[in-house]
Short mmCIF file of all heavy atoms in Angstrom, two decimals:
data_model
loop_
_atom_site.label_atom_id
_atom_site.label_comp_id
_atom_site.label_asym_id
_atom_site.label_seq_id
_atom_site.Cartn_x
_atom_site.Cartn_y
_atom_site.Cartn_z
N PHE A 547 -7.21 -3.23 0.92
CA PHE A 547 -8.34 -3.53 0.08
C PHE A 547 -8.37 -5.01 -0.44
O PHE A 547 -9.06 -5.43 -1.37
CB PHE A 547 -8.35 -2.61 -1.19
CG PHE A 547 -8.52 -1.21 -0.81
CD1 PHE A 547 -7.47 -0.28 -0.81
CD2 PHE A 547 -9.75 -0.69 -0.47
CE1 PHE A 547 -7.71 0.99 -0.40
CE2 PHE A 547 -9.92 0.57 -0.17
CZ PHE A 547 -8.91 1.45 -0.11
N GLN A 548 -7.51 -5.89 0.23
CA GLN A 548 -7.48 -7.33 -0.04
C GLN A 548 -7.28 -7.67 -1.53
O GLN A 548 -7.98 -8.44 -2.07
CB GLN A 548 -8.84 -8.01 0.42
CG GLN A 548 -9.20 -7.70 1.94
CD GLN A 548 -8.23 -8.42 2.80
OE1 GLN A 548 -8.23 -9.65 2.92
NE2 GLN A 548 -7.38 -7.69 3.54
N LEU A 549 -6.22 -6.99 -2.05
CA LEU A 549 -5.86 -7.26 -3.49
C LEU A 549 -5.02 -8.53 -3.53
O LEU A 549 -4.72 -9.16 -2.62
CB LEU A 549 -5.06 -6.04 -4.08
CG LEU A 549 -5.81 -4.77 -3.96
CD1 LEU A 549 -4.94 -3.58 -4.55
CD2 LEU A 549 -7.19 -4.79 -4.63
N GLY A 550 -4.71 -8.97 -4.79
CA GLY A 550 -4.10 -10.27 -5.00
C GLY A 550 -2.82 -10.50 -4.21
O GLY A 550 -2.55 -11.64 -3.76
N SER A 551 -1.93 -9.48 -4.17
CA SER A 551 -0.63 -9.71 -3.62
C SER A 551 -0.68 -9.56 -2.02
O SER A 551 0.40 -9.68 -1.40
CB SER A 551 0.34 -8.62 -4.10
OG SER A 551 -0.12 -7.32 -3.80
N ALA A 552 -1.82 -9.38 -1.42
CA ALA A 552 -1.93 -9.11 -0.02
C ALA A 552 -1.52 -10.39 0.81
O ALA A 552 -0.91 -10.27 1.90
CB ALA A 552 -3.31 -8.78 0.40
N TYR A 553 -1.78 -11.57 0.25
CA TYR A 553 -1.54 -12.84 0.90
C TYR A 553 -0.25 -13.51 0.36
O TYR A 553 -0.08 -14.81 0.56
CB TYR A 553 -2.75 -13.76 0.82
CG TYR A 553 -3.99 -13.22 1.64
CD1 TYR A 553 -4.93 -12.46 0.95
CD2 TYR A 553 -4.03 -13.46 2.98
CE1 TYR A 553 -6.05 -12.03 1.60
CE2 TYR A 553 -5.14 -12.93 3.66
CZ TYR A 553 -6.07 -12.22 2.97
OH TYR A 553 -7.23 -11.70 3.73
N GLU A 554 0.53 -12.82 -0.32
CA GLU A 554 1.75 -13.36 -0.81
C GLU A 554 2.84 -13.45 0.25
O GLU A 554 3.17 -12.56 0.91
CB GLU A 554 2.30 -12.43 -2.02
CG GLU A 554 3.49 -12.89 -2.71
CD GLU A 554 3.98 -11.92 -3.83
OE1 GLU A 554 4.69 -11.00 -3.42
OE2 GLU A 554 3.46 -11.99 -4.93
N TRP A 555 3.33 -14.69 0.33
CA TRP A 555 4.36 -14.96 1.39
C TRP A 555 5.64 -15.63 0.70
O TRP A 555 5.48 -16.64 0.04
CB TRP A 555 3.87 -15.90 2.44
CG TRP A 555 4.80 -16.25 3.51
CD1 TRP A 555 5.96 -16.91 3.34
CD2 TRP A 555 4.74 -15.89 4.91
NE1 TRP A 555 6.64 -17.06 4.56
CE2 TRP A 555 5.86 -16.41 5.50
CE3 TRP A 555 3.87 -15.22 5.65
CZ2 TRP A 555 6.20 -16.32 6.83
CZ3 TRP A 555 4.16 -15.08 6.95
CH2 TRP A 555 5.28 -15.59 7.60
N VAL A 556 6.69 -14.90 0.82
CA VAL A 556 7.94 -15.42 0.26
C VAL A 556 8.98 -15.45 1.37
O VAL A 556 9.25 -14.44 2.06
CB VAL A 556 8.56 -14.54 -0.94
CG1 VAL A 556 9.80 -15.13 -1.42
CG2 VAL A 556 7.40 -14.48 -1.99
N VAL A 557 9.64 -16.63 1.57
CA VAL A 557 10.55 -16.72 2.66
C VAL A 557 11.77 -15.93 2.32
O VAL A 557 12.31 -15.99 1.17
CB VAL A 557 11.03 -18.21 2.83
CG1 VAL A 557 12.19 -18.35 3.89
CG2 VAL A 557 9.84 -19.08 3.21
N THR A 558 12.22 -15.05 3.19
CA THR A 558 13.38 -14.10 2.99
C THR A 558 14.65 -14.97 2.69
O THR A 558 14.97 -15.85 3.54
CB THR A 558 13.62 -13.20 4.19
OG1 THR A 558 12.38 -12.50 4.39
CG2 THR A 558 14.73 -12.19 3.85
N LYS A 559 15.34 -14.64 1.66
CA LYS A 559 16.54 -15.42 1.26
C LYS A 559 17.70 -15.23 2.32
O LYS A 559 17.89 -14.04 2.76
CB LYS A 559 17.06 -14.95 -0.05
CG LYS A 559 18.31 -15.71 -0.47
CD LYS A 559 18.79 -15.10 -1.85
CE LYS A 559 20.14 -15.70 -2.09
NZ LYS A 559 20.83 -15.02 -3.26
N LYS A 560 18.32 -16.27 2.71
CA LYS A 560 19.42 -16.15 3.68
C LYS A 560 20.66 -16.55 2.96
O LYS A 560 20.68 -17.35 1.98
CB LYS A 560 19.26 -17.15 4.92
CG LYS A 560 17.85 -17.11 5.50
CD LYS A 560 17.55 -15.78 6.15
CE LYS A 560 16.20 -15.95 6.99
NZ LYS A 560 15.08 -16.56 6.35
N THR A 561 21.81 -16.08 3.46
CA THR A 561 23.11 -16.33 2.84
C THR A 561 24.04 -17.10 3.70
O THR A 561 25.11 -17.61 3.31
CB THR A 561 23.83 -15.11 2.37
OG1 THR A 561 24.05 -14.24 3.50
CG2 THR A 561 22.98 -14.35 1.35
N GLY A 562 23.67 -17.18 5.06
CA GLY A 562 24.57 -17.90 5.96
C GLY A 562 25.85 -17.11 6.29
O GLY A 562 26.86 -17.71 6.40
N ARG A 563 25.79 -15.77 6.36
CA ARG A 563 26.97 -15.00 6.60
C ARG A 563 27.72 -15.36 7.86
O ARG A 563 28.91 -15.12 8.03
CB ARG A 563 26.57 -13.44 6.62
CG ARG A 563 26.26 -12.96 5.24
CD ARG A 563 27.51 -12.88 4.36
NE ARG A 563 27.10 -12.39 3.03
CZ ARG A 563 27.94 -12.41 2.04
NH1 ARG A 563 29.17 -12.86 2.17
NH2 ARG A 563 27.58 -11.93 0.86
N SER A 564 26.95 -15.82 8.95
CA SER A 564 27.54 -16.07 10.20
C SER A 564 28.13 -17.46 10.26
O SER A 564 28.50 -17.91 11.29
CB SER A 564 26.53 -15.87 11.28
OG SER A 564 25.40 -16.71 11.01
N SER A 565 28.28 -18.14 9.08
CA SER A 565 28.69 -19.56 9.22
C SER A 565 30.26 -19.64 8.88
O SER A 565 30.70 -20.70 8.34
CB SER A 565 27.94 -20.33 8.06
OG SER A 565 28.21 -19.80 6.77
N GLU A 566 31.10 -18.71 9.18
CA GLU A 566 32.45 -18.85 8.91
C GLU A 566 33.11 -19.94 9.84
O GLU A 566 34.03 -20.55 9.45
CB GLU A 566 33.18 -17.44 9.30
CG GLU A 566 32.75 -16.39 8.29
CD GLU A 566 33.44 -15.08 8.56
OE1 GLU A 566 34.18 -15.05 9.59
OE2 GLU A 566 33.20 -14.08 7.84
N SER A 567 32.56 -20.14 10.92
CA SER A 567 33.05 -21.16 11.84
C SER A 567 32.28 -22.49 11.74
O SER A 567 32.40 -23.42 12.59
CB SER A 567 33.01 -20.70 13.33
OG SER A 567 31.65 -20.35 13.67
N ASP A 568 31.41 -22.63 10.68
CA ASP A 568 30.61 -23.85 10.58
C ASP A 568 31.39 -25.11 10.45
O ASP A 568 30.96 -26.17 10.80
CB ASP A 568 29.64 -23.64 9.45
CG ASP A 568 28.45 -22.82 9.85
OD1 ASP A 568 28.39 -22.52 10.99
OD2 ASP A 568 27.63 -22.58 8.94
N LEU A 569 32.56 -25.00 9.74
CA LEU A 569 33.35 -26.25 9.63
C LEU A 569 33.76 -26.90 10.90
O LEU A 569 33.66 -28.08 11.12
CB LEU A 569 34.64 -25.95 8.74
CG LEU A 569 34.44 -25.70 7.24
CD1 LEU A 569 35.73 -25.28 6.60
CD2 LEU A 569 33.84 -26.84 6.58
N LEU A 570 34.14 -25.99 11.83
CA LEU A 570 34.56 -26.48 13.18
C LEU A 570 33.28 -27.08 13.85
O LEU A 570 33.37 -28.06 14.51
CB LEU A 570 35.15 -25.41 13.96
CG LEU A 570 36.48 -24.91 13.46
CD1 LEU A 570 37.06 -23.77 14.37
CD2 LEU A 570 37.56 -26.01 13.43
N ALA A 571 32.21 -26.38 13.73
CA ALA A 571 30.93 -26.79 14.40
C ALA A 571 30.42 -28.11 13.80
O ALA A 571 30.01 -29.06 14.55
CB ALA A 571 29.83 -25.72 14.32
N LEU A 572 30.56 -28.17 12.49
CA LEU A 572 30.07 -29.49 11.89
C LEU A 572 30.96 -30.64 12.26
O LEU A 572 30.48 -31.77 12.54
CB LEU A 572 30.15 -29.30 10.34
CG LEU A 572 29.03 -28.42 9.73
CD1 LEU A 572 29.35 -28.17 8.27
CD2 LEU A 572 27.76 -29.15 9.84
N ALA A 573 32.30 -30.41 12.36
CA ALA A 573 33.24 -31.43 12.86
C ALA A 573 32.87 -31.93 14.19
O ALA A 573 32.94 -33.02 14.58
CB ALA A 573 34.70 -30.96 12.67
N GLU A 574 32.50 -30.87 15.02
CA GLU A 574 32.24 -31.27 16.42
C GLU A 574 30.97 -32.10 16.56
O GLU A 574 30.88 -33.04 17.28
CB GLU A 574 32.02 -29.93 17.25
CG GLU A 574 31.73 -30.17 18.72
CD GLU A 574 31.55 -28.90 19.50
OE1 GLU A 574 31.60 -27.80 18.94
OE2 GLU A 574 31.36 -28.94 20.72
N ARG A 575 29.93 -31.73 15.74
CA ARG A 575 28.71 -32.50 15.75
C ARG A 575 28.87 -33.89 15.22
O ARG A 575 28.14 -34.79 15.56
CB ARG A 575 27.62 -31.76 14.98
CG ARG A 575 27.23 -30.41 15.67
CD ARG A 575 26.42 -29.60 14.61
NE ARG A 575 26.52 -28.15 15.01
CZ ARG A 575 26.36 -27.17 14.06
NH1 ARG A 575 25.99 -27.47 12.84
NH2 ARG A 575 26.49 -25.97 14.41
N GLU A 576 29.84 -34.00 14.30
CA GLU A 576 30.09 -35.39 13.77
C GLU A 576 30.88 -36.31 14.65
O GLU A 576 31.01 -37.46 14.39
CB GLU A 576 30.79 -35.27 12.39
CG GLU A 576 29.92 -34.88 11.22
CD GLU A 576 29.00 -35.99 10.83
OE1 GLU A 576 29.42 -37.01 10.28
OE2 GLU A 576 27.79 -35.82 11.19
N SER A 577 31.42 -35.67 15.70
CA SER A 577 32.23 -36.54 16.56
C SER A 577 31.43 -37.62 17.25
O SER A 577 30.27 -37.45 17.68
CB SER A 577 32.76 -35.53 17.68
OG SER A 577 33.51 -36.39 18.68
N LYS A 578 31.90 -38.78 17.30
CA LYS A 578 31.14 -39.95 17.85
C LYS A 578 31.19 -40.04 19.25
O LYS A 578 30.30 -40.69 19.90
CB LYS A 578 31.78 -41.26 17.21
CG LYS A 578 31.55 -41.41 15.67
CD LYS A 578 32.14 -42.73 15.22
CE LYS A 578 31.97 -42.80 13.72
NZ LYS A 578 32.43 -44.13 13.21
N SER A 579 32.04 -39.38 19.97
CA SER A 579 31.97 -39.38 21.44
C SER A 579 31.07 -38.31 21.94
O SER A 579 31.37 -37.10 21.79
CB SER A 579 33.40 -39.19 22.01
OG SER A 579 34.18 -38.40 21.21
N SER A 580 29.91 -38.71 22.46
CA SER A 580 28.93 -37.78 22.84
C SER A 580 29.26 -36.91 24.14
O SER A 580 28.78 -35.92 24.40
CB SER A 580 27.58 -38.47 23.13
OG SER A 580 27.79 -39.45 24.20
N ASN A 581 30.22 -37.46 24.90
CA ASN A 581 30.62 -36.74 26.15
C ASN A 581 31.74 -35.76 25.90
O ASN A 581 32.27 -35.19 26.86
CB ASN A 581 31.02 -37.76 27.27
CG ASN A 581 32.04 -38.65 26.78
OD1 ASN A 581 32.48 -38.64 25.63
ND2 ASN A 581 32.62 -39.49 27.76
N GLU A 582 32.22 -35.66 24.58
CA GLU A 582 33.34 -34.73 24.38
C GLU A 582 32.79 -33.34 24.36
O GLU A 582 31.84 -32.92 23.81
CB GLU A 582 33.92 -35.07 22.95
CG GLU A 582 35.10 -34.21 22.57
CD GLU A 582 35.64 -34.51 21.20
OE1 GLU A 582 34.92 -35.34 20.47
OE2 GLU A 582 36.60 -34.04 20.82
N GLU A 583 33.55 -32.39 25.07
CA GLU A 583 33.12 -31.10 25.32
C GLU A 583 33.74 -30.03 24.36
O GLU A 583 33.20 -29.06 23.99
CB GLU A 583 33.30 -30.56 26.70
CG GLU A 583 32.56 -31.37 27.77
CD GLU A 583 32.71 -30.87 29.10
OE1 GLU A 583 33.59 -29.89 29.28
OE2 GLU A 583 32.18 -31.39 30.08
N LYS A 584 34.97 -30.40 23.97
CA LYS A 584 35.67 -29.50 23.11
C LYS A 584 36.14 -30.18 21.75
O LYS A 584 36.45 -31.33 21.83
CB LYS A 584 36.92 -28.78 23.80
CG LYS A 584 36.60 -27.98 24.90
CD LYS A 584 37.81 -27.32 25.53
CE LYS A 584 37.43 -26.41 26.62
NZ LYS A 584 38.67 -25.72 27.19
#
Side-chain angles (χ1 to χ4, degrees):
F547 296 103
Q548 303 293 290
L549 302 181
S551 61
Y553 293 96
E554 183 180 87
W555 180 294
V556 179
V557 177
T558 305
K559 179 190 173 185
K560 316 294 192 311
T561 60
R563 286 291 178 187
S564 55
S565 59
E566 294 178 359
S567 60
D568 280 357
L569 287 178
L570 294 178
L572 286 168
E574 181 180 5
R575 293 168 206 156
E576 280 292 288
S577 174
K578 293 183 179 180
S579 29
S580 58
N581 57 354
E582 183 180 6
E583 295 182 358
K584 294 186 178 180

